[in-house]
Amino acid sequence: MSYEYILVKRPAQRVASITLNHPPRLNAINGHMLRELDRAVRRIERDDEVRAWLLTGAPRPDGRPCFSAGVDLKAVNEGVRLDRHLGPRVTNTIDDMLKPSIAVLDGIASTGAIELALACDFRLVGAQAAISDWHLKHLGSGVGSWGSPARWLSLVGPSVTKEMILTAKVMNADEAVATGFATARYPSEELYGQALDMAGTMAGMNPDGVSQALAHIQQSGARERDHSLSLATQVRQWFGSTETFGERARKVMAERGNRQGAQKSESD
């Protein structure tokens, strides 16, 4: 199957990789990319030849590493539809999959892209990683619709979760490991190889044993996770948040345009 916004490869025996691939926009996630990602993840889930997989991002046009800048607000403003049900489905599919997944993060990794990484079983980071959750900063809502607060909370605890969301903190590679967000950090040039080695090790294990272990671990926390994800929708309703993501995105882009216009007038 061919894709326009992602790359799907088999970099090693029994290992697959998905690369978010839209460098001109820092691999930002538009509606087309999300649909392709949904198809690719479900194909990996059904493929008995794949026993572990990686999620990474293509480098910037100048070669610097990049995971993804998150959801592409410009694309939404340009009329590219982003299905509001698809993001939660993709993240939950990744979270529930009985095949180990590793998010390989270096460079910019923000907001919607972090929700994808949080759904993976492991996160490895490169030395240039810049990790952020800017739902509140950019969209005015601290509750990401794909489950970020719930997954942040289960991974790093309430204090770090609050800091990441309420202060728009940018977490570096060392902090990612220290807080428990990432399993390990590596020099940027070694990151992918280390991730591939880790995936290869898990792919060489008894697949039934791997599936059983993941099923047990995931189901042990599933009730709490599902409750937290459901609560996110309720919280938005409590506070009267009725705007769709598309409406918020268009409002944000309009405000940015107004600010840029005002700055240009001042400089003139």
Side-chain angles (χ1 to χ4, degrees), residues 9-17 49-50 52 192 196-197 199-200 203:
K9 296 183 178 180
R10 295 288 181 89
Q13 187 177 16
R14 299 171 179 166
V15 176
S17 69
E49 295 300 312
V50 175
Y192 188 81
L196 196 56
D197 286 346

Side-chain angles (χ1 to χ4, degrees), residues 249-263:
R250 284 187 285 274
K251 182 182 293 185
V252 168
M253 295 308 297
E255 290 172 352
R256 288 182 184 177
N258 291 338
R259 285 198 301 269
Q260 291 170 356
Q263 291 169 357

Side-chain angles (χ1 to χ4, degrees), residues 15-257:
V15 176
S17 69
I18 299 176
T19 302
L20 308 178
N21 185 41
H22 195 200
R25 291 200 176 173
L26 303 180
N27 303 326
I29 303 163
N30 61 35
H32 303 306
M33 179 188 285
L34 190 59
R35 286 191 292 273
E36 291 181 358
L37 185 59
D38 178 49
R39 292 198 300 271
V41 167
R42 288 188 287 119
R43 284 174 66 88
I44 287 174
E45 185 176 33
R46 295 192 301 266
D47 191 338
D48 292 337
E49 295 300 312
V50 175
R51 297 186 182 177
W53 64 283
L54 311 177
L55 177 64
T56 188
R60 293 185 182 206
D62 62 7
R64 286 180 293 166
C66 181
F67 185 66
S68 169
V71 171
D72 190 342
L73 299 183
K74 289 183 179 179
V76 175
N77 194 50
E78 291 162 356
V80 179
R81 181 173 177 268
L82 190 73
D83 187 334
R84 67 188 182 93
H85 299 292
L86 195 53
R89 187 172 88 183
V90 172
T91 51
N92 286 341
T93 298
I94 293 172
D95 203 347
D96 292 338
M97 195 185 302
L98 300 183
K99 296 180 180 183
S101 54
I102 305 172
V104 186
L105 303 102
D106 206 0
I108 291 174
S110 186
T111 316
I114 286 301
E115 297 193 86
L116 296 175
L118 286 166
C120 291
D121 296 305
F122 304 95
R123 285 146 298 280
L124 301 184
V125 295
Q128 300 177 59
I131 298 157
S132 60
D133 188 327
W134 285 354
H135 284 96
L136 183 58
K137 179 180 179 180
H138 283 170
L139 296 172
S141 171
V143 182
S145 60
W146 299 358
S148 60
R151 291 191 171 96
W152 272 116
L153 184 62
S154 66
L155 192 64
V156 301
S159 181
V160 175
T161 298
K162 291 173 185 177
E163 183 179 21
M164 293 301 297
I165 294 173
L166 300 182
T167 73
K169 175 186 175 68
V170 179
M171 179 186 285
N172 64 31
D174 289 331
E175 291 170 324
V177 176
T179 59
F181 172 84
T183 302
R185 63 151 286 175
Y186 297 100
S188 294
E189 64 273 14
E190 297 178 14
L191 176 62
Y192 188 81
Q194 293 287 347
L196 196 56
D197 286 346
M198 183 179 183
T201 297
M202 293 186 289
M205 299 289 184
N206 178 351
D208 290 336
V210 169
S211 296
Q212 290 169 18
L214 285 176
H216 179 71
I217 295 166
Q218 290 167 2
Q219 288 304 308
S220 295
R223 182 175 299 179
E224 181 178 349
R225 183 205 68 182
D226 292 345
H227 173 71
S228 294
L229 293 176
S230 175
L231 186 59
T233 300
Q234 294 178 38
V235 166
R236 287 194 293 271
Q237 293 172 347
W238 292 345
F239 287 88
S241 298
T242 58
E243 282 184 315
T244 66
F245 180 84
E247 289 170 341
R248 290 200 302 274
R250 284 187 285 274
K251 182 182 293 185
V252 168
M253 295 308 297
E255 290 172 352
R256 288 182 184 177

Side-chain angles (χ1 to χ4, degrees), residues 1-18:
M1 178 180 290
S2 61
Y3 300 96
E4 183 179 359
Y5 291 95
I6 65 174
L7 299 174
V8 180
K9 296 183 178 180
R10 295 288 181 89
Q13 187 177 16
R14 299 171 179 166
V15 176
S17 69
I18 299 176

